[in-house]
Amino acid sequence: MIPKLEYQVLRNAAKQLDESMSLPEVLTPEMQEDEAILKKIHTALMELVVIEGNLICPESGRKFPIKAGIPNMLLNEDEV
């Protein structure tokens, strides 16, 4: 699963959600075997939660609101 991650995106998102989250700048093949780093990646993937805010599409810039931890990714009628 690690090779399929967009690691820099994960690292940036984790840092925005929790400033104390310290993932290495670059993930080398050796680091992919390090249990401490794998635990941090697991925490970033499975335990960080956005309760209120927005998901922003990197391609279109469209904002999808998140309320009570649930993202609303439905398109408006004029976007269909």
Side-chain angles (χ1 to χ4, degrees):
M1 184 173 128
I2 298 292
K4 294 186 178 191
L5 280 178
E6 289 190 38
Y7 181 73
Q8 287 305 317
V9 173
L10 172 66
R11 183 176 179 273
N12 292 340
K15 190 95 172 148
Q16 288 178 6
L17 293 172
D18 182 352
E19 290 183 7
S20 69
M21 177 66 60
S22 59
L23 292 172
E25 258 188 64
V26 178
L27 188 63
T28 65
E30 296 80 28
M31 290 178 177
Q32 293 179 28
E33 305 297 323
D34 184 314
E35 191 167 333
I37 292 173
L38 291 175
K39 284 182 179 182
K40 288 181 180 183
I41 291 172
H42 177 270
T43 298
L45 288 170
M46 305 303 287
E47 297 178 20
L48 293 180
V49 179
V50 176
I51 302 299
E52 299 287 329
N54 292 299
L55 289 174
I56 302 172
C57 175
E59 292 177 15
S60 68
R62 186 178 191 289
K63 291 183 180 181
F64 298 93
I66 302 170
K67 293 186 182 188
I70 302 170
N72 178 355
M73 299 185 78
L74 298 175
L75 296 175
N76 297 325
E77 285 185 29
D78 60 336
E79 297 174 307
V80 179

Coordinates of all heavy atoms in Angstrom, one line a residue:
M1 N 0.8 -1.2 0.0 CA 0.0 0.0 0.0 C 0.9 1.3 0.0 O 0.5 2.2 -0.6 CB -0.9 0.0 1.2 CG -1.9 1.2 1.2 SD -3.0 1.0 2.6 CE -2.8 2.5 3.3
I2 N 2.0 1.3 0.7 CA 2.8 2.4 0.8 C 3.2 3.0 -0.6 O 3.2 4.2 -0.8 CB 4.1 2.2 1.7 CG1 3.7 1.8 3.1 CG2 5.0 3.3 1.6 CD1 3.0 3.0 3.9
P3 N 3.7 2.1 -1.5 CA 4.1 2.6 -2.9 C 2.9 3.4 -3.6 O 3.2 4.2 -4.5 CB 4.5 1.4 -3.6 CG 4.9 0.4 -2.6 CD 3.9 0.7 -1.4
K4 N 1.7 3.0 -3.3 CA 0.6 3.7 -4.0 C 0.1 5.0 -3.3 O -0.7 5.7 -3.9 CB -0.6 2.7 -4.0 CG -0.4 1.5 -4.8 CD -1.6 0.6 -4.9 CE -1.3 -0.5 -5.8 NZ -2.5 -1.3 -6.2
L5 N 0.7 5.3 -2.2 CA 0.4 6.6 -1.5 C 1.0 7.8 -2.2 O 2.1 7.7 -2.7 CB 0.9 6.6 -0.1 CG 0.2 5.9 1.0 CD1 0.9 6.0 2.3 CD2 -1.2 6.4 1.2
E6 N 0.3 8.9 -2.3 CA 0.9 10.1 -2.7 C 1.4 10.7 -1.4 O 0.7 11.5 -0.7 CB -0.1 11.0 -3.4 CG -0.5 10.5 -4.7 CD -1.3 11.6 -5.5 OE1 -1.1 12.8 -5.4 OE2 -2.3 11.1 -6.2
Y7 N 2.6 10.3 -1.1 CA 3.2 10.6 0.2 C 3.2 12.1 0.6 O 2.9 12.5 1.7 CB 4.6 10.0 0.4 CG 5.2 10.2 1.7 CD1 4.8 9.5 2.8 CD2 6.2 11.2 1.9 CE1 5.3 9.8 4.1 CE2 6.8 11.4 3.1 CZ 6.3 10.7 4.2 OH 6.8 10.9 5.5
Q8 N 3.7 12.9 -0.3 CA 3.7 14.4 -0.1 C 2.4 15.0 0.3 O 2.2 15.8 1.1 CB 4.4 15.1 -1.2 CG 5.9 14.9 -1.3 CD 6.6 15.2 0.0 OE1 6.4 16.2 0.7 NE2 7.6 14.3 0.4
V9 N 1.3 14.5 -0.4 CA 0.0 14.9 -0.1 C -0.4 14.5 1.3 O -1.0 15.3 2.0 CB -1.0 14.4 -1.2 CG1 -2.5 14.7 -0.8 CG2 -0.7 14.9 -2.6
L10 N -0.2 13.3 1.6 CA -0.5 12.8 3.0 C 0.3 13.6 4.0 O -0.3 14.0 5.0 CB -0.1 11.3 3.1 CG -0.2 10.7 4.5 CD1 -1.6 10.7 5.0 CD2 0.5 9.3 4.5
R11 N 1.6 13.8 3.8 CA 2.4 14.5 4.7 C 1.9 16.0 4.9 O 1.7 16.4 6.1 CB 3.9 14.6 4.2 CG 4.8 15.2 5.2 CD 6.2 15.2 4.6 NE 7.1 15.8 5.6 CZ 7.4 17.1 5.5 NH1 6.8 17.9 4.6 NH2 8.2 17.7 6.4
N12 N 1.5 16.6 3.9 CA 1.0 18.0 4.0 C -0.3 18.0 4.7 O -0.6 18.9 5.5 CB 0.9 18.6 2.6 CG 2.3 18.9 1.9 OD1 3.3 19.0 2.6 ND2 2.3 19.0 0.6
A13 N -1.2 17.1 4.3 CA -2.5 17.1 5.0 C -2.4 16.8 6.5 O -3.0 17.4 7.3 CB -3.4 16.0 4.3
A14 N -1.5 15.8 6.8 CA -1.3 15.5 8.2 C -0.8 16.7 9.0 O -1.2 16.9 10.1 CB -0.4 14.3 8.3
K15 N 0.1 17.4 8.4 CA 0.7 18.6 9.1 C -0.3 19.7 9.3 O -0.3 20.3 10.3 CB 1.9 19.1 8.2 CG 2.7 20.1 8.9 CD 3.9 19.5 9.5 CE 4.9 20.5 10.0 NZ 5.6 20.1 11.2
Q16 N -1.2 19.8 8.3 CA -2.3 20.8 8.4 C -3.3 20.5 9.5 O -3.8 21.3 10.2 CB -3.0 21.0 7.1 CG -2.2 21.8 6.1 CD -2.9 21.9 4.8 OE1 -4.1 21.5 4.7 NE2 -2.3 22.4 3.8
L17 N -3.5 19.2 9.7 CA -4.5 18.7 10.7 C -3.9 18.7 12.1 O -4.6 18.8 13.1 CB -5.1 17.4 10.3 CG -5.9 17.4 9.0 CD1 -6.3 15.9 8.6 CD2 -7.2 18.2 9.3
D18 N -2.6 18.3 12.2 CA -2.0 18.2 13.5 C -0.5 18.6 13.3 O 0.3 17.9 12.8 CB -2.1 16.7 13.9 CG -1.5 16.5 15.3 OD1 -0.8 17.4 15.9 OD2 -1.6 15.3 15.8
E19 N -0.2 19.8 13.8 CA 1.1 20.4 13.7 C 2.2 19.5 14.3 O 3.4 19.6 14.0 CB 1.2 21.8 14.2 CG 0.4 22.7 13.3 CD 0.5 24.2 13.8 OE1 1.3 24.5 14.7 OE2 -0.2 25.0 13.2
S20 N 1.8 18.7 15.3 CA 2.8 17.8 16.0 C 3.1 16.6 15.2 O 4.0 15.8 15.5 CB 2.3 17.5 17.4 OG 1.2 16.6 17.3
M21 N 2.3 16.3 14.1 CA 2.6 15.1 13.3 C 3.8 15.4 12.5 O 3.9 16.2 11.7 CB 1.4 15.0 12.3 CG 1.5 13.8 11.3 SD 1.5 12.2 12.0 CE -0.1 12.1 12.8
S22 N 4.9 14.6 12.8 CA 6.2 14.8 12.2 C 6.5 13.6 11.3 O 7.2 12.7 11.7 CB 7.2 15.0 13.2 OG 7.3 13.8 14.1
L23 N 6.0 13.6 10.1 CA 6.4 12.6 9.1 C 7.7 13.1 8.3 O 7.8 14.3 8.1 CB 5.3 12.4 8.1 CG 4.0 11.7 8.6 CD1 2.9 11.8 7.6 CD2 4.3 10.3 9.0
P24 N 8.6 12.2 8.0 CA 9.8 12.6 7.3 C 9.5 13.3 5.9 O 8.4 13.0 5.3 CB 10.6 11.3 7.0 CG 9.8 10.2 7.6 CD 8.5 10.8 8.2
E25 N 10.3 14.2 5.5 CA 10.1 15.0 4.2 C 10.0 14.0 3.1 O 9.2 14.2 2.2 CB 11.2 16.0 4.0 CG 10.8 17.4 4.3 CD 11.8 18.4 3.9 OE1 12.1 18.5 2.7 OE2 12.4 19.0 4.8
V26 N 10.9 13.0 3.0 CA 11.0 12.1 1.9 C 10.9 10.7 2.5 O 11.5 10.4 3.6 CB 12.3 12.2 1.2 CG1 12.4 11.2 0.1 CG2 12.4 13.6 0.6
L27 N 10.1 9.8 1.9 CA 10.0 8.4 2.4 C 10.9 7.5 1.5 O 10.5 7.2 0.4 CB 8.5 8.0 2.3 CG 8.2 6.7 2.9 CD1 8.5 6.7 4.4 CD2 6.7 6.3 2.7
T28 N 12.0 7.1 2.1 CA 12.9 6.2 1.3 C 12.4 4.7 1.5 O 11.7 4.4 2.4 CB 14.3 6.3 1.9 OG1 14.3 5.9 3.2 CG2 14.8 7.8 1.8
P29 N 12.9 3.9 0.6 CA 12.5 2.4 0.7 C 12.9 1.9 2.1 O 12.2 1.0 2.7 CB 13.3 1.8 -0.4 CG 13.5 2.8 -1.4 CD 13.7 4.1 -0.6
E30 N 14.0 2.3 2.7 CA 14.4 1.8 4.0 C 13.4 2.3 5.1 O 13.1 1.5 6.0 CB 15.8 2.3 4.4 CG 16.9 1.8 3.5 CD 17.1 2.6 2.2 OE1 16.7 3.8 2.1 OE2 17.5 2.0 1.2
M31 N 12.9 3.5 4.9 CA 12.0 4.0 5.9 C 10.6 3.2 5.8 O 9.9 3.2 6.8 CB 11.7 5.5 5.7 CG 12.8 6.4 6.0 SD 12.4 8.1 5.6 CE 13.8 8.9 6.2
Q32 N 10.3 2.7 4.7 CA 9.1 1.9 4.5 C 9.1 0.6 5.4 O 8.1 0.0 5.5 CB 8.8 1.6 3.1 CG 8.6 2.8 2.2 CD 8.4 2.5 0.8 OE1 7.9 1.4 0.4 NE2 8.7 3.4 -0.1
E33 N 10.3 0.3 5.9 CA 10.4 -0.9 6.8 C 10.5 -0.5 8.3 O 10.4 -1.4 9.1 CB 11.6 -1.7 6.4 CG 11.7 -2.1 4.9 CD 10.5 -3.1 4.6 OE1 10.1 -3.9 5.4 OE2 10.0 -2.9 3.4
D34 N 10.6 0.8 8.5 CA 10.7 1.3 9.9 C 9.4 1.3 10.6 O 8.5 2.0 10.2 CB 11.3 2.7 9.9 CG 11.6 3.2 11.2 OD1 10.8 3.1 12.1 OD2 12.7 3.8 11.4
E35 N 9.3 0.5 11.7 CA 8.0 0.4 12.4 C 7.5 1.7 12.9 O 6.3 2.0 12.9 CB 8.1 -0.7 13.5 CG 6.7 -1.0 14.0 CD 6.7 -2.3 14.9 OE1 7.6 -3.1 14.7 OE2 5.8 -2.3 15.7
A36 N 8.4 2.5 13.5 CA 7.9 3.8 14.0 C 7.3 4.7 13.0 O 6.3 5.4 13.2 CB 9.1 4.5 14.7
I37 N 8.0 4.8 11.8 CA 7.4 5.6 10.7 C 6.1 5.0 10.2 O 5.2 5.8 9.9 CB 8.5 5.7 9.6 CG1 9.7 6.6 10.1 CG2 7.9 6.4 8.3 CD1 10.8 6.7 9.2
L38 N 6.0 3.7 10.1 CA 4.8 3.1 9.6 C 3.7 3.4 10.6 O 2.5 3.6 10.2 CB 5.0 1.6 9.5 CG 5.9 1.1 8.3 CD1 6.1 -0.4 8.3 CD2 5.3 1.6 7.0
K39 N 3.9 3.4 11.9 CA 2.9 3.8 12.9 C 2.4 5.2 12.7 O 1.2 5.5 12.8 CB 3.4 3.6 14.3 CG 3.5 2.1 14.7 CD 4.0 2.0 16.1 CE 4.0 0.5 16.5 NZ 4.4 0.3 17.9
K40 N 3.4 6.1 12.4 CA 3.0 7.5 12.1 C 2.1 7.6 10.9 O 1.1 8.4 10.9 CB 4.2 8.4 12.0 CG 4.9 8.6 13.3 CD 6.1 9.5 13.1 CE 6.9 9.8 14.4 NZ 8.0 10.7 14.2
I41 N 2.5 6.9 9.8 CA 1.7 6.9 8.6 C 0.3 6.3 8.9 O -0.7 6.9 8.4 CB 2.4 6.1 7.5 CG1 3.7 6.9 7.1 CG2 1.5 5.9 6.3 CD1 4.6 6.1 6.1
H42 N 0.2 5.2 9.7 CA -1.1 4.7 10.0 C -1.9 5.7 10.8 O -3.1 5.8 10.5 CB -0.8 3.4 10.9 CG -2.1 2.8 11.4 ND1 -2.7 3.2 12.6 CD2 -2.9 1.9 10.8 CE1 -3.8 2.5 12.7 NE2 -4.0 1.7 11.7
T43 N -1.3 6.4 11.7 CA -2.0 7.4 12.5 C -2.6 8.5 11.5 O -3.7 8.9 11.6 CB -1.1 8.1 13.5 OG1 -0.7 7.0 14.5 CG2 -1.8 9.2 14.3
A44 N -1.7 8.9 10.6 CA -2.2 10.0 9.7 C -3.3 9.5 8.8 O -4.2 10.2 8.5 CB -1.0 10.4 8.8
L45 N -3.3 8.2 8.4 CA -4.3 7.7 7.5 C -5.6 7.3 8.2 O -6.7 7.5 7.7 CB -3.8 6.4 6.8 CG -2.8 6.7 5.7 CD1 -2.2 5.3 5.2 CD2 -3.4 7.4 4.5
M46 N -5.5 6.8 9.4 CA -6.6 6.2 10.0 C -7.2 6.9 11.3 O -8.3 6.7 11.6 CB -6.3 4.7 10.5 CG -5.8 3.9 9.3 SD -6.9 3.8 7.9 CE -8.1 2.7 8.6
E47 N -6.4 7.8 11.9 CA -6.8 8.4 13.1 C -7.1 9.9 13.1 O -7.7 10.4 14.0 CB -5.9 8.0 14.2 CG -5.8 6.5 14.5 CD -4.8 6.1 15.5 OE1 -4.4 6.9 16.3 OE2 -4.4 4.9 15.5
L48 N -6.5 10.6 12.1 CA -6.8 12.0 12.0 C -8.1 12.2 11.3 O -8.4 11.6 10.3 CB -5.7 12.7 11.2 CG -4.3 12.8 11.8 CD1 -3.3 13.5 10.8 CD2 -4.3 13.5 13.1
V49 N -9.0 13.0 11.9 CA -10.3 13.2 11.4 C -10.6 14.7 11.3 O -10.3 15.5 12.2 CB -11.3 12.6 12.4 CG1 -12.8 12.8 12.0 CG2 -11.1 11.1 12.6
V50 N -11.3 15.1 10.2 CA -11.7 16.4 10.0 C -13.2 16.5 10.4 O -14.0 15.8 9.8 CB -11.6 16.9 8.5 CG1 -12.1 18.3 8.3 CG2 -10.1 16.8 8.1
I51 N -13.5 17.3 11.4 CA -14.9 17.4 11.8 C -15.7 18.5 11.1 O -16.8 18.3 10.6 CB -15.0 17.7 13.3 CG1 -14.3 16.6 14.1 CG2 -16.4 17.8 13.8 CD1 -14.9 15.2 14.0
E52 N -15.0 19.6 10.9 CA -15.6 20.8 10.2 C -14.5 21.3 9.3 O -13.4 21.4 9.6 CB -16.1 21.9 11.1 CG -17.2 21.5 12.1 CD -18.5 21.3 11.4 OE1 -18.8 22.0 10.4 OE2 -19.3 20.4 11.9
G53 N -14.9 21.7 8.0 CA -13.9 22.3 7.1 C -14.3 22.0 5.7 O -15.5 21.9 5.4
N54 N -13.3 21.9 4.8 CA -13.5 21.7 3.4 C -12.5 20.8 2.8 O -11.3 20.8 3.3 CB -13.4 23.1 2.6 CG -14.5 24.0 3.0 OD1 -15.7 23.7 2.7 ND2 -14.2 25.2 3.5
L55 N -12.9 20.0 1.9 CA -12.0 19.3 1.0 C -11.9 20.1 -0.3 O -12.9 20.6 -0.8 CB -12.5 17.9 0.6 CG -12.6 16.8 1.7 CD1 -13.3 15.6 1.2 CD2 -11.2 16.5 2.1
I56 N -10.7 20.4 -0.7 CA -10.5 21.2 -1.9 C -9.9 20.4 -3.0 O -8.9 19.8 -2.9 CB -9.6 22.4 -1.6 CG1 -10.3 23.2 -0.5 CG2 -9.5 23.3 -2.9 CD1 -9.4 24.4 0.0
C57 N -10.6 20.3 -4.2 CA -10.1 19.6 -5.3 C -8.9 20.2 -5.9 O -8.9 21.4 -6.2 CB -11.2 19.5 -6.4 SG -10.7 18.7 -7.9
P58 N -7.8 19.5 -6.0 CA -6.5 20.2 -6.5 C -6.6 20.5 -8.0 O -5.9 21.4 -8.5 CB -5.5 19.1 -6.3 CG -6.2 17.8 -6.2 CD -7.5 18.1 -5.7
E59 N -7.5 19.9 -8.7 CA -7.6 20.2 -10.2 C -8.6 21.3 -10.5 O -8.3 22.2 -11.2 CB -8.1 18.9 -10.9 CG -7.0 17.8 -10.9 CD -7.5 16.6 -11.6 OE1 -8.5 16.6 -12.4 OE2 -6.9 15.5 -11.5
S60 N -9.7 21.3 -9.8 CA -10.7 22.4 -10.1 C -10.8 23.5 -9.1 O -11.3 24.6 -9.4 CB -12.1 21.7 -10.2 OG -12.5 21.3 -8.9
G61 N -10.2 23.2 -7.9 CA -10.3 24.2 -6.8 C -11.6 24.2 -6.1 O -11.9 25.0 -5.2
R62 N -12.6 23.4 -6.5 CA -13.9 23.3 -5.9 C -13.8 22.9 -4.5 O -13.1 22.0 -4.2 CB -14.8 22.4 -6.7 CG -16.3 22.4 -6.2 CD -17.1 21.5 -7.0 NE -18.5 21.7 -6.8 CZ -19.2 21.3 -5.7 NH1 -18.5 20.8 -4.7 NH2 -20.5 21.4 -5.6
K63 N -14.6 23.5 -3.6 CA -14.6 23.2 -2.2 C -15.8 22.3 -1.9 O -16.9 22.6 -2.3 CB -14.7 24.4 -1.3 CG -13.4 25.3 -1.4 CD -13.6 26.5 -0.4 CE -12.3 27.3 -0.5 NZ -12.4 28.4 0.5
F64 N -15.5 21.2 -1.2 CA -16.6 20.3 -0.7 C -16.7 20.5 0.8 O -15.7 20.2 1.5 CB -16.3 18.9 -1.1 CG -16.2 18.7 -2.6 CD1 -15.1 18.7 -3.3 CD2 -17.4 18.4 -3.3 CE1 -15.0 18.5 -4.7 CE2 -17.4 18.2 -4.7 CZ -16.2 18.3 -5.4
P65 N -17.8 20.9 1.3 CA -17.9 21.2 2.8 C -17.9 19.9 3.6 O -18.4 18.8 3.1 CB -19.2 21.9 3.0 CG -20.0 21.5 1.8 CD -19.0 21.3 0.7
I66 N -17.3 19.9 4.8 CA -17.3 18.8 5.7 C -18.1 19.3 7.0 O -17.7 20.3 7.5 CB -15.9 18.3 6.1 CG1 -15.1 17.9 4.9 CG2 -16.0 17.2 7.1 CD1 -13.7 17.7 5.2
K67 N -19.1 18.6 7.3 CA -19.9 19.0 8.6 C -20.1 17.7 9.4 O -20.5 16.7 8.8 CB -21.2 19.6 8.2 CG -21.0 21.0 7.5 CD -22.3 21.7 7.3 CE -21.9 23.0 6.6 NZ -23.0 23.9 6.4
A68 N -19.8 17.8 10.6 CA -20.0 16.7 11.6 C -19.2 15.5 11.1 O -19.6 14.3 11.2 CB -21.4 16.3 11.8
G69 N -18.0 15.7 10.4 CA -17.2 14.7 9.9 C -17.6 14.0 8.6 O -16.9 13.1 8.2
I70 N -18.6 14.6 8.0 CA -19.2 14.0 6.8 C -19.0 14.9 5.6 O -19.5 16.0 5.6 CB -20.7 13.6 6.9 CG1 -20.8 12.6 8.1 CG2 -21.2 13.0 5.6 CD1 -22.3 12.4 8.5
P71 N -18.2 14.5 4.6 CA -18.0 15.4 3.4 C -19.2 15.4 2.5 O -19.8 14.3 2.3 CB -16.8 14.9 2.7 CG -16.7 13.5 3.1 CD -17.3 13.4 4.5
N72 N -19.6 16.5 2.0 CA -20.7 16.6 1.0 C -20.1 16.8 -0.3 O -19.6 17.9 -0.7 CB -21.7 17.7 1.3 CG -22.8 17.8 0.3 OD1 -22.8 17.1 -0.7 ND2 -23.7 18.7 0.5
M73 N -20.0 15.7 -1.1 CA -19.3 15.7 -2.4 C -20.3 15.7 -3.6 O -19.9 15.4 -4.7 CB -18.3 14.6 -2.5 CG -17.2 14.8 -1.4 SD -15.9 13.6 -1.5 CE -15.0 14.3 -2.8
L74 N -21.6 16.0 -3.3 CA -22.6 16.1 -4.3 C -22.4 17.3 -5.2 O -22.1 18.4 -4.6 CB -24.0 16.0 -3.7 CG -24.4 14.8 -2.9 CD1 -25.7 15.0 -2.3 CD2 -24.3 13.6 -3.8
L75 N -22.6 17.2 -6.4 CA -22.5 18.4 -7.3 C -23.8 19.1 -7.3 O -24.9 18.6 -7.1 CB -22.2 17.9 -8.8 CG -20.9 17.2 -9.0 CD1 -20.9 16.7 -10.5 CD2 -19.7 18.1 -8.7
N76 N -23.7 20.4 -7.5 CA -24.9 21.3 -7.6 C -25.5 21.0 -9.0 O -24.9 20.5 -9.9 CB -24.5 22.8 -7.5 CG -23.9 23.1 -6.1 OD1 -24.4 22.5 -5.1 ND2 -23.0 24.0 -6.1
E77 N -26.8 21.4 -9.1 CA -27.5 21.1 -10.4 C -26.8 21.8 -11.6 O -26.8 21.2 -12.6 CB -29.0 21.6 -10.3 CG -29.8 20.7 -9.4 CD -31.3 21.2 -9.4 OE1 -31.7 21.8 -10.4 OE2 -32.0 20.9 -8.4
D78 N -26.3 23.0 -11.4 CA -25.6 23.6 -12.5 C -24.3 23.0 -12.8 O -23.7 23.4 -13.8 CB -25.5 25.1 -12.2 CG -24.6 25.4 -10.9 OD1 -24.5 24.5 -10.1 OD2 -24.0 26.5 -10.9
E79 N -23.8 22.1 -12.1 CA -22.5 21.4 -12.3 C -22.6 20.1 -13.0 O -21.6 19.5 -13.4 CB -21.7 21.3 -11.0 CG -21.4 22.6 -10.4 CD -20.7 22.4 -9.0 OE1 -21.3 21.7 -8.2 OE2 -19.6 22.9 -8.8
V80 N -23.8 19.6 -13.1 CA -24.0 18.3 -13.7 C -23.9 18.3 -15.2 O -24.2 19.2 -15.9 CB -25.4 17.7 -13.3 CG1 -25.6 16.3 -13.9 CG2 -25.5 17.6 -11.8

